[in-house]
Amino acid sequence: MSTVVNDIPVFTAKDLVTDQEVRWCPGCGDYSILKQVQTVVPELGLKREEIVFISGIGCSSRFPYYMETYGMHSIHGRATAIASGLKISRPELSVWIITGDGDSLSIGGNHFIHLLRRNIDVNILLFNNEIYGLTKGQYSPTSELGKVTKSTPMGSVDHPFNPLALVLGADGTFVARSMDRDPIHLRTILKRANAHKGSSLVEIYQNCNVFNDGAFEVFTEKSSKADETLFIEHGQPLVFGAQKDKGIVIDGFTPRVVSLNDVSANDLWIHDETDRVKAGILTRFFDDPKHGPHFPRPFGVFYAENRFTYETALNQQLEDAIAAKGPGDLDALLRGTNTWQVKG
Amino acid sequence: MRYAKDLAEIYGVVNFLFTFAQLFAAFAVLFKMENTTLHATEATILFAGDSGDGIQLTGDQFTNTAALHGNDLSTFPNFPAEIRAPQGTLAGVSGFQIKFGSTEIYTPGDHCDMLVVMNAAALKANLKQLKAGGIIIANTEGFDAKNLRLAKYPDGVNPIEDGSLDAFRLFKIDVTKMTKATLEGSGLGTKEIDRTKNMFVLGFIYWIYNRSLETTIKFIEQKFGKRPEIVEANVKTLKAGYHYGETSETFMQRVEIKAAQIAPGNYRNINGNPATAYGLIAAAQKSGLPLFLGSYPITPASDILHELSRHKNFGVRTFQAEDEIAAITSAIGAAFGGSLAITTSSGPGIALKTEAIGLAIMLELPLVIINVQRGGPSTGLPTKTEQADLLQAIYGRNGEAPLPVIAAQSPGDCFYAVYEACRIAVEHSTPVFFLSDGYLANGAEPWEYPVSADLKPIKAVFAEALPEGEKFLPYKRDEKLARKWAVPGVKGLEHRIGGLEKEHDTGNISYDPDNHEFMVKLRAEKVERIADFIPDQQIDQGPSKGKLLVVGWGSTYGAIKTAVKAALEDGYSVAHAHIRYMNPFPKNLGELMKQYDHVLVPEMNNGQLVRLLRDKYLVPAEGFNKIKGIPFTSTELLEKIKTLA
Ligand code: SF4
């Protein structure tokens, strides 16, 4: 159990396991994500009692029940707004939002974009499985065009969201993507997300093996992963392929896949997390992998920016108001400026 | 931008042409004359004009001055539905009615003694409010061909010229000329000079009622402190209006309305929305909890958001959310974190919050949901008042989801009622509905402001860290059936809550059939038990047994009180009870109603409280309903009372 080192209690992944039976379908990608989160959180230097996980509704939103921290399993789409109120009023807490593609991009789309523009310092883990799992298999706002589901027997005619392009459009200050099947990468990204001061958005490709099995398999299966994914790192050239023999160059604003046999590594696009325009281009590496030719799907931190957070600015206003007017005097407030006395 | 808006408010276009002899004659008829001053016990003035004429400001200033003079009073601002309704049209008319007197005043008056109109539309829209033989002060400039056309008078008809107002005392004043003369050489442009005209009228009315200019001068100085030339122009015009009355003294009598004999104490003037904001701040201060407001702008509730956002030095956090749902859910997040959390709205916004209210009921966290009601359904009548959201507050959720409901009865009472809502929310770990309405929100009355030390304490009970090894039970309850507030940051109390059905004590998810029924009944019993912690229902006035009991709630208080008082004076057997605790009802309410032959329930809706009373107590209560977006008059209530008492 817990011990204390330098005032920070030490706890392990085990201490984060609750007495609740985990109820995801066997083989669901959520298990891996839960495990990575439980592994990473004890390494963050946080006090367990100051950690809060808040979720909405959906398969992924069961997550807080399995984390031995403070938590709330709320209502559909509203975790972002609930977390906003909590973080604004308790800025010292470490607040994590667990949400899915239906929860955050459909019913909760409004709160999602507003949280991002306000840059409230929370970590948002968006489990994207491109399907509605809990309600048993309807297409979601990230399902691909033409998808056949229970509610779209003739194929979906709904153009899907590009989640990271949306996040960048909403002025998100930390934009990243990872996947359930790459634990090491996911843990690295989770740590980065936690370290970022502001709204950190991590889209996590998560396999729903019951209703949308294999949605991301080209990115996760050994046979295709190397050619279909592009792991981006700040300051590093964009290189991919099983033989690390392919790269991306950029001509003006137009990216191009090149063979390193033809182009020197020095001429490749060097990833710069602080470049908003280029991050925008990277989010557009989003074509359907089933229909080539196309770009590999990027994973990693697309964009990171230091911008003041909403709660810091608001709480500063409180301090400024106290400095200017002194702490509130209730009797003076009730009295106001114009009073009169009626004598008995 | 803000400044430009303020300017538009304070200046206004007033233009009067005035016949002194006529006005003198009118006052002589209306009021008893004593020496050179007329004495009256009360008067009702209705200021009306274009929404850009500074009517509300003029009304507010007169109100503050009357209040400081010691009059009892009640006001009724009546806004046009559209902020930028076309100038001069009937849709753009803004009104402000004030009744003030040396006796106790409970309503802004059924009809007015004096109607001050800035233009033809204001006259057309409000003439029916004027008592027979009442005074009209008309601004001639507002009756030119264009204004008459906009007010939809037939071609060639001008009511202030054609004798059609002979049943009233009509006075025409040319304020333009006098304002211009007053500010000649001031360096101000014609437009700016023009805008000070409402100050001339205000000054003149102050003279009529023998009021000091001090409060308004102070106000002008505060408002325009950064522009001394504007301060000077307004003060000069205000004084010019006053002196204008004075120089005409030979022609005209002043009216004296003495200070009212109200209970000794310290008073100020207050409107319902600021009173609500103060009640919230007071509750936060007394409970030692930080105040959090999640809100989305909506008429007529926004002023609570505005007021609270001004008091950050009280540690108040206001969050203007992206929508009504985020407004309440952010408040739920803050409540989870240990804040006194509030959300404010009106009917349409409350409808959007419904699902989240259900969540708060499941989470059993303190939360105050404020509904400043307006006319519905849907967008309805945004600027008009109604009491039609009572059943929404009591029943409007999925599942069995009871919560306490508290209603305020007057502008000043908003303070106490919302304070009580906070107390119940915190001490009984539950969301609470607080109902106000447009009439209370914008209406004003003298308020005997409390001293903070006299306010009931509010005690929040937090869960404390447990001895090592002991398991925390988040849904364990005390004798009130309230659960303890376990806020993040306390070691050992880590727990999860949510909207799924809870197992008793542990709070774990449970689909057990017996547990569900048990929990539904437990949550209902928890709300019912609040009846043990609230006062019995009192009779406001009248006998404790008799022919008729008038049962009201909310903003109808003043009108019912006035009507019942008159009926009692006429010897009728009638009493008045006004309910604050709409759910649960006070324990003695059923018994109390049985002491009368008839129960009459006047409401500004199609009969909502009356249903609750019939349902719960099986009493043959009768509804009396008005659904016009305007308050009851005491006259119509009195007539109805006389048919039953
Ligand atoms: S339905 Fe899909 S997402 Fe939901 S638990 Fe099962 S596998 Fe996981």
Side-chain angles (χ1 to χ4, degrees):
Chain A
M1 286 297 289
S2 320
T3 52
V4 175
V5 176
N6 294 337
D7 271 358
I8 298 293
V10 174
F11 55 93
T12 66
K14 257 193 176 158
D15 296 321
L16 289 174
V17 177
T18 66
D19 59 1
Q20 299 294 295
E21 194 187 323
V22 183
R23 295 199 185 188
W24 290 309
C25 306
C28 175
D30 290 352
Y31 283 95
S32 163
I33 304 172
L34 175 63
K35 186 153 191 291
Q36 307 326 318
V37 172
Q38 286 175 333
T39 307
V40 162
V41 165
E43 298 170 15
L44 301 176
L46 303 168
K47 292 182 182 167
R48 196 176 57 165
E49 65 271 21
E50 293 192 342
I51 302 168
V52 186
F53 277 81
I54 297 182
S55 65
I57 293 293
C59 289
S60 59
S61 288
R62 291 235 162 190
F63 199 97
Y65 289 119
Y66 311 138
M67 287 294 293
E68 190 57 57
T69 62
Y70 282 89
M72 190 193 291
H73 175 218
S74 71
I75 45 177
H76 207 10
R78 320 301 170 205
T80 32
I82 293 172
S84 298
L86 178 63
K87 182 69 183 179
I88 292 164
S89 58
R90 295 286 306 277
E92 77 281 13
L93 298 174
S94 170
V95 178
W96 300 67
I97 295 164
I98 304 294
T99 183
D101 41 314
D103 194 58
S104 65
L105 299 178
S106 198
I107 195 166
N110 200 29
H111 314 310
F112 182 72
I113 54 175
H114 287 277
L115 169 69
L116 292 166
R117 77 174 165 85
R118 291 187 184 112
N119 198 34
I120 294 171
D121 185 17
V122 294
N123 305 317
I124 313 160
L125 310 188
L126 197 178
F127 295 26
N128 183 6
N129 57 12
E130 299 187 347
I131 198 81
Y132 282 76
L134 191 68
T135 51
K136 300 193 169 33
Q138 301 80 13
Y139 76 106
S140 91
T142 55
S143 298
E144 74 274 14
L145 206 58
K147 187 165 196 73
V148 174
T149 70
K150 279 182 187 158
S151 56
T152 50
M154 295 172 69
S156 159
V157 292
D158 234 332
H159 182 77
F161 260 134
N162 174 335
L164 295 193
L166 176 74
V167 170
L168 211 55
D171 283 353
T173 60
F174 182 90
V175 185
R177 181 186 289 137
S178 189
M179 59 175 106
D180 54 2
R181 298 277 172 89
D182 192 336
I184 298 173
H185 186 261
L186 179 53
R187 291 202 295 267
T188 313
I189 297 297
L190 290 174
K191 282 186 193 166
R192 283 283 317 267
N194 178 70
H196 176 72
K197 183 120 177 87
S199 301
S200 309
L201 184 284
V202 184
E203 181 191 20
I204 305 170
Y205 283 168
Q206 174 244 322
N207 190 39
C208 169
N209 56 309
V210 173
F211 296 108
N212 200 17
D213 197 23
F216 306 108
E217 71 185 352
V218 291
F219 309 127
T220 57
E221 291 311 301
K222 257 214 174 94
S223 55
S224 53
K225 182 173 178 181
D227 286 326
E228 293 295 344
T229 60
L230 171 68
F231 284 84
I232 52 176
E233 264 181 73
H234 186 63
Q236 298 300 316
L238 301 189
V239 176
F240 68 106
Q243 312 303 324
K244 294 277 173 222
D245 59 348
K246 289 186 270 188
I248 313 282
V249 293
I250 186 156
D251 296 334
F253 292 118
T254 309
R256 208 154 38 83
V257 175
V258 293
S259 162
L260 288 184
N261 298 327
D262 308 331
V263 175
S264 138
N266 295 334
D267 295 332
L268 292 178
W269 172 346
I270 307 293
H271 181 47
D272 177 0
E273 284 174 5
T274 65
D275 189 329
R276 204 171 183 285
V277 175
K278 283 189 176 168
I281 296 169
L282 272 180
T283 64
R284 293 293 166 187
F285 285 21
F286 194 64
D287 30 18
D288 187 341
K290 291 179 197 98
H291 309 282
H294 59 270
F295 289 95
R297 193 68 59 94
F299 291 82
V301 179
F302 288 55
Y303 182 65
E305 171 197 338
N306 275 323
R307 190 172 82 216
F308 74 94
T309 69
Y310 179 95
E311 70 276 15
T312 313
L314 179 72
N315 288 299
Q316 185 61 49
Q317 285 192 340
L318 262 59
E319 281 175 32
D320 292 349
I322 292 168
K325 300 195 232 170
D329 174 346
L330 182 56
D331 282 305
L333 177 74
L334 299 181
R335 206 162 44 237
T337 46
N338 290 319
T339 65
W340 68 96
Q341 200 182 31
V342 175
K343 295 218 169 73
Chain B
M1 284 315 287
R2 172 108 194 258
Y3 176 66
K5 235 178 117 192
D6 288 345
L7 274 182
E9 262 284 305
I10 195 163
Y11 298 122
V13 186
V14 184
N15 181 16
F16 287 91
L17 185 76
F18 190 66
T19 316
F20 302 117
Q22 268 184 308
L23 189 56
F24 170 74
F27 277 113
V29 170
L30 274 178
F31 303 99
K32 198 168 85 187
M33 272 187 71
E34 262 176 41
N35 301 326
T36 55
T37 305
L38 306 165
H39 287 273
T41 51
E42 58 181 48
T44 301
I45 308 176
L46 171 53
F47 298 94
D50 224 34
S51 57
D53 279 342
I55 293 293
Q56 301 303 326
L57 185 136
T58 308
D60 279 342
Q61 283 308 303
F62 191 86
T63 303
N64 283 335
T65 298
L68 282 170
H69 188 78
N71 293 129
D72 198 0
L73 60 86
S74 176
T75 71
F76 180 47
N78 197 358
F79 305 105
E82 292 135 73
I83 306 286
R84 295 274 173 265
Q87 254 196 343
T89 62
L90 289 160
V93 174
S94 172
F96 188 103
Q97 185 163 315
I98 173 169
K99 182 175 183 181
F100 60 109
S102 58
T103 55
E104 287 184 331
I105 306 286
Y106 303 110
T107 77
D110 294 355
H111 293 100
C112 58
D113 303 300
M114 183 191 281
L115 174 61
V116 181
V117 289
M118 308 301 201
N119 62 20
L123 177 75
K124 198 171 196 188
N126 291 295
L127 189 59
K128 60 185 180 302
Q129 287 295 107
L130 186 61
K131 285 178 188 168
I135 296 168
I136 299 169
I137 296 181
N139 161 23
T140 44
E141 200 184 47
F143 287 80
D144 61 12
K146 189 180 167 205
N147 274 291
L148 289 165
R149 197 176 63 244
L150 286 167
K152 298 211 169 13
Y153 278 102
D155 262 357
V157 173
N158 184 352
I160 63 168
E161 300 296 352
D162 64 6
S164 63
L165 300 173
D166 282 354
F168 307 100
R169 317 286 162 186
L170 171 66
F171 302 101
K172 300 178 278 184
I173 308 183
D174 187 350
V175 177
T176 306
K177 223 193 224 164
M178 284 172 279
T179 310
K180 268 192 188 141
T182 307
L183 297 181
E184 213 185 333
S186 65
L188 293 182
T190 317
K191 228 177 166 179
E192 284 180 314
I193 289 176
D194 231 36
R195 283 170 172 167
T196 65
K197 284 186 293 193
N198 65 337
M199 285 295 121
F200 187 90
V201 179
L202 185 60
F204 179 64
I205 305 227
Y206 280 158
W207 179 82
I208 296 175
Y209 290 101
N210 192 17
R211 298 296 146 115
S212 149
L213 304 183
E214 197 188 322
T215 315
T216 297
I217 291 174
K218 218 161 87 185
F219 167 81
I220 293 168
E221 284 168 354
Q222 270 168 13
K223 188 136 189 153
F224 298 103
K226 283 183 189 141
R227 295 206 44 195
E229 73 282 10
I230 302 286
V231 172
E232 200 190 323
N234 277 286
V235 171
K236 225 171 161 181
T237 314
L238 180 76
K239 286 182 175 168
Y242 191 90
H243 293 144
Y244 181 69
E246 210 152 62
T247 50
S248 64
E249 201 169 5
T250 45
F251 300 96
M252 159 94 202
Q253 293 296 313
R254 303 171 84 175
V255 182
E256 181 68 44
I257 297 180
K258 290 215 171 78
Q261 293 299 312
I262 44 182
N266 294 311
Y267 285 82
R268 63 172 287 175
N269 184 42
I270 196 127
N271 298 81
N273 272 343
T276 303
Y278 295 166
L280 296 170
I281 293 174
Q285 295 276 304
K286 292 291 279 191
S287 61
L289 299 169
L291 188 65
F292 180 94
L293 172 73
S295 185
Y296 186 77
I298 187 168
T299 302
S302 301
D303 278 343
I304 303 173
L305 166 64
H306 304 161
E307 187 65 36
L308 284 177
S309 62
R310 293 176 53 225
H311 300 291
K312 293 191 166 63
N313 61 326
F314 283 86
V316 177
R317 290 181 180 86
T318 53
F319 178 59
Q320 184 178 314
E322 57 273 19
D323 57 30
E324 295 283 358
I325 298 172
I328 182 169
T329 47
S330 63
I332 289 173
F336 185 51
S339 285
L340 176 58
I342 315 294
T343 189
T344 48
S345 192
S346 189
I350 299 294
L352 285 165
K353 295 179 198 289
T354 301
E355 187 196 14
I357 297 171
L359 175 66
I361 289 171
M362 277 302 242
L363 300 180
E364 303 191 37
L365 283 171
L367 175 72
V368 176
I369 304 138
I370 294 178
N371 182 353
V372 185
Q373 300 165 95
R374 65 190 218 185
S378 187
T379 309
L381 304 170
T383 59
K384 306 296 172 193
T385 196
E386 204 161 275
Q387 297 182 298
D389 299 344
L390 175 61
L391 294 181
Q392 179 194 37
I394 303 241
Y395 295 125
R397 285 164 294 283
N398 62 307
E400 298 289 350
L403 50 63
V405 181
I406 309 278
Q409 65 183 35
S410 73
D413 185 56
C414 285
F415 175 88
Y416 294 103
V418 83
Y419 186 88
E420 182 67 349
C422 293
R423 185 187 69 80
I424 291 173
V426 168
E427 296 186 352
H428 296 261
S429 71
T430 176
V432 177
F433 247 114
F434 168 73
L435 297 178
S436 171
D437 65 27
Y439 176 51
L440 296 179
N442 297 313
E445 67 176 354
W447 184 50
E448 190 187 354
Y449 58 90
V451 175
S452 63
D454 297 342
L455 295 170
K456 240 190 208 177
I458 297 178
K459 204 171 160 15
V461 182
F462 290 100
E464 281 162 20
L466 298 168
E468 186 84 21
E470 206 167 301
K471 201 164 161 36
F472 174 58
L473 295 173
Y475 278 73
K476 207 173 139 93
R477 290 154 200 286
D478 64 12
E479 73 288 351
K480 296 186 203 119
L481 300 182
R483 71 182 195 92
K484 283 184 181 161
W485 208 345
V487 300
V490 184
K491 200 167 176 307
L493 299 186
E494 291 87 355
H495 69 288
R496 275 67 53 197
I497 55 177
L500 287 170
E501 182 59 285
K502 305 272 167 294
E503 186 181 67
H504 182 44
D505 282 348
T506 66
N508 289 334
I509 303 169
S510 168
Y511 294 109
D512 180 76
D514 293 336
N515 177 75
H516 176 54
E517 186 167 308
F518 176 80
M519 290 301 282
V520 164
K521 292 193 166 164
L522 191 70
R523 285 187 289 263
E525 169 63 16
K526 173 177 140 174
V527 172
E528 275 307 309
R529 229 176 248 197
I530 292 168
D532 294 341
F533 299 86
I534 60 173
D536 271 352
Q537 181 63 46
Q538 302 292 321
I539 295 290
D540 189 74
Q541 60 176 338
S544 55
K545 263 185 200 319
K547 270 197 174 161
L548 175 67
L549 178 68
V550 184
V551 178
W553 70 280
S555 69
T556 53
Y557 177 76
I560 298 176
K561 189 177 180 85
T562 307
V564 169
K565 195 173 169 214
L568 285 167
E569 278 163 10
D570 287 354
Y572 288 91
S573 171
V574 57
H576 173 204
H578 214 75
I579 307 179
R580 153 170 298 183
Y581 299 93
M582 310 305 295
N583 191 42
F585 285 130
K587 283 164 125 183
N588 66 329
L589 184 61
E591 267 312 301
L592 188 131
M593 285 190 293
K594 289 193 182 122
Q595 309 307 313
Y596 302 85
D597 301 342
H598 301 283
V599 174
L600 179 70
V601 186
E603 294 179 87
M604 295 186 289
N605 58 36
N606 206 19
Q608 301 200 0
L609 172 62
V610 72
R611 281 167 208 259
L612 298 174
L613 295 176
R614 284 184 194 158
D615 173 36
K616 179 146 193 196
Y617 302 107
L618 302 175
V619 288
E622 183 184 326
F624 183 54
N625 306 95
K626 182 171 184 177
I627 324 162
K628 296 173 189 276
I630 47 173
F632 279 106
T633 65
S634 48
T635 315
E636 62 199 4
L637 281 168
L638 182 59
E639 277 166 23
K640 179 71 189 174
I641 288 168
K642 286 179 175 173
T643 65
L644 292 170

